[in-house]
Amino acid sequence: MNKTQRLVELLLTMNTRQKFTLKELSERFGVSRRTVLRDINELSSLGVPLYAELGVHGGYRILKERTLPPISFSEQEAVALFFAGQSLKFYRDLPMESDWQSALAKFYHVLPEDVKERIDRLQRRLLFWVPVQRCKASHLSSLLEGAMEQNILHISYESENGYTERDIQLVGLYSMNGKWYCPAFEFHTGEYRLFRADRIKSVADSPDQTRKKNHDKLLIADWFGKEQERAEKQEEYDLRVRLTRRGVLLCRNDDWLGSGLTVMEDGTGYINRRISPGYMSWAASFFIGCQTDAIVEEPAELRRLIFNQLRETISNYNEE
């Protein structure tokens, strides 16, 4: 085994073991302890984070921030990594943002020039647009770490009723339309709730971790399935909305409304679909914003909600 092969094998061995000694490595590779020591020093100079422990029971350890062994990539696999990275480009906040940017920068640096040029063309011609968000989600990394470790987190949360302190255990995180959401079990109410990550103002591990729920089998994908089942069990209403040409364009921008949209030959249209009670408040605000370009015909419950919201708004502008 030549030196290069030995260094790679040595790095693989060190990454898979918690602790090792010069004697163990010397016997493993059939070389002297002095040779092993030179190899370890060379790997250390290349950035492998090694820690030496002195004494009878001493040896070497790789620190928690380990360096992974070399991996061979094809040209298409290399381009695919930058394809994935391009999809994150326009997020205002990301967990581990500096880590993935650093990883791609290191990877790009060692690529052949022709592969670099292909990646440059990819980045110039491909775009995953994410709506720009004004609200900053400052604690994504802590939230993701809490979800992965299944720790109980103590958070300060801003809602419509002001700031509250809560203990939660996250199922996970997901992103939709540029916003980050955290489904979690809330210990005060004993129920699962959905939290907006940008409304979480502080995060810390709760001092009492004895109340942990067994969420290991409830994955983030499973949570979506349970939410769908819950939504299907809710009472729903027929939603019918008459739209002008402008109203069609406004509603087409929303995926949920667009799924029930029918457009006529003259460009006008209508929405005909089902709506659950949980969507009523949002729908009222949306259609009020459309003004006369969207007229809700059904359900009567939504019409009353729109009327009451408009009446409250008008009362704020009554001339004295």
Side-chain angles (χ1 to χ4, degrees):
M1 181 183 297
N2 61 37
K3 179 181 178 181
T4 301
Q5 291 174 319
R6 190 174 67 248
L7 287 174
V8 172
E9 288 292 328
L10 181 60
L11 184 56
L12 288 168
T13 300
M14 292 190 302
N15 269 285
T16 56
R17 301 184 63 173
Q18 293 294 317
K19 185 178 178 180
F20 46 88
T21 65
L22 291 179
K23 180 182 178 182
E24 291 169 343
L25 296 179
S26 173
E27 293 173 352
R28 164 72 175 81
F29 293 102
V31 295
S32 68
R33 297 187 188 185
R34 180 176 296 179
T35 299
V36 172
L37 184 58
R38 276 201 308 267
D39 290 344
I40 287 177
N41 289 334
E42 187 166 343
L43 288 174
S44 181
S45 67
L46 293 173
V48 178
L50 290 167
Y51 173 70
E53 295 179 325
L54 302 178
V56 177
H57 302 291
Y60 289 88
R61 295 178 185 271
I62 291 187
L63 299 180
K64 185 178 180 180
E65 191 73 20
R66 295 184 296 179
T67 300
L68 298 179
I71 303 174
S72 176
F73 287 89
S74 69
E75 178 180 327
Q76 284 298 104
E77 288 171 336
V79 175
L81 289 177
F82 286 87
F83 174 88
Q86 192 75 348
S87 67
L88 304 174
K89 186 175 181 179
F90 288 96
Y91 277 85
R92 175 171 180 173
D93 301 297
L94 288 168
M96 301 182 291
E97 181 174 6
S98 60
D99 295 318
W100 72 260
Q101 289 179 340
S102 173
L104 287 182
K106 289 179 181 178
F107 198 45
Y108 184 86
H109 180 70
V110 299
L111 291 174
E113 290 301 322
D114 61 323
V115 180
K116 287 182 180 179
E117 175 56 31
R118 188 172 181 193
I119 290 170
D120 292 341
R121 291 199 303 270
L122 168 76
Q123 293 177 332
R124 290 195 296 265
R125 301 297 180 184
L126 177 70
L127 179 66
F128 293 86
W129 176 249
V130 176
V132 177
Q133 301 300 321
R134 297 182 181 275
C135 299
K136 183 172 179 57
S138 303
H139 302 286
L140 286 179
S141 294
S142 298
L143 293 169
L144 180 58
E145 182 69 19
M148 292 170 62
E149 298 298 327
Q150 283 296 279
N151 290 335
I152 299 176
L153 302 178
H154 183 78
I155 65 170
S156 174
Y157 192 72
E158 181 183 14
S159 67
E160 295 176 356
N161 298 320
Y163 289 91
T164 54
E165 304 289 321
R166 307 164 188 245
D167 279 355
I168 63 173
Q169 188 175 353
L170 270 69
V171 175
L173 278 77
Y174 72 88
S175 175
M176 184 171 66
N177 295 328
K179 293 187 177 72
W180 287 92
Y181 298 88
C182 310
F185 181 83
E186 185 181 19
F187 287 87
H188 177 68
T189 60
E191 297 177 347
Y192 285 94
R193 296 193 57 187
L194 185 62
F195 297 91
R196 280 260 301 270
D198 58 278
R199 293 182 179 177
I200 296 176
K201 302 305 178 183
S202 67
V203 180
D205 284 347
S206 172
D208 181 8
Q209 295 291 325
T210 61
R211 301 169 291 162
K212 285 185 180 181
K213 300 293 180 181
N214 183 16
H215 292 160
D216 290 343
K217 295 181 180 179
L218 180 59
L219 306 179
I220 188 69
D222 299 330
W223 184 85
F224 275 100
K226 290 181 179 294
E227 279 295 291
Q228 183 64 34
E229 291 177 8
R230 186 184 65 81
E232 290 174 355
K233 292 178 182 178
Q234 281 188 332
E235 179 185 9
E236 290 190 328
Y237 302 90
D238 289 322
L239 172 66
R240 186 172 177 87
V241 185
R242 187 161 29 93
L243 303 169
T244 65
R245 291 174 62 92
R246 181 174 179 272
V248 167
L249 294 175
L250 292 172
C251 292
R252 186 178 279 163
N253 290 332
D254 183 87
D255 291 337
W256 184 79
L257 291 174
S259 65
L261 176 63
T262 299
V263 182
M264 311 298 288
E265 290 185 2
D266 63 355
T268 63
Y270 61 89
I271 292 171
N272 191 1
R273 60 158 303 149
R274 304 282 286 175
I275 184 171
S276 64
Y279 270 93
M280 288 288 201
S281 179
W282 172 86
S285 298
F286 180 89
F287 291 125
I288 287 173
C290 293
Q291 300 177 21
T292 58
D293 293 299
I295 305 300
V296 175
E297 297 179 341
E298 302 183 64
E301 289 80 2
L302 179 56
R303 288 175 60 89
R304 282 196 295 271
L305 187 57
I306 291 173
F307 179 81
N308 289 335
Q309 285 191 17
L310 287 172
R311 184 171 59 184
E312 290 178 8
T313 301
I314 291 172
S315 68
N316 291 325
Y317 293 91
N318 281 338
E319 293 184 3
E320 297 181 358

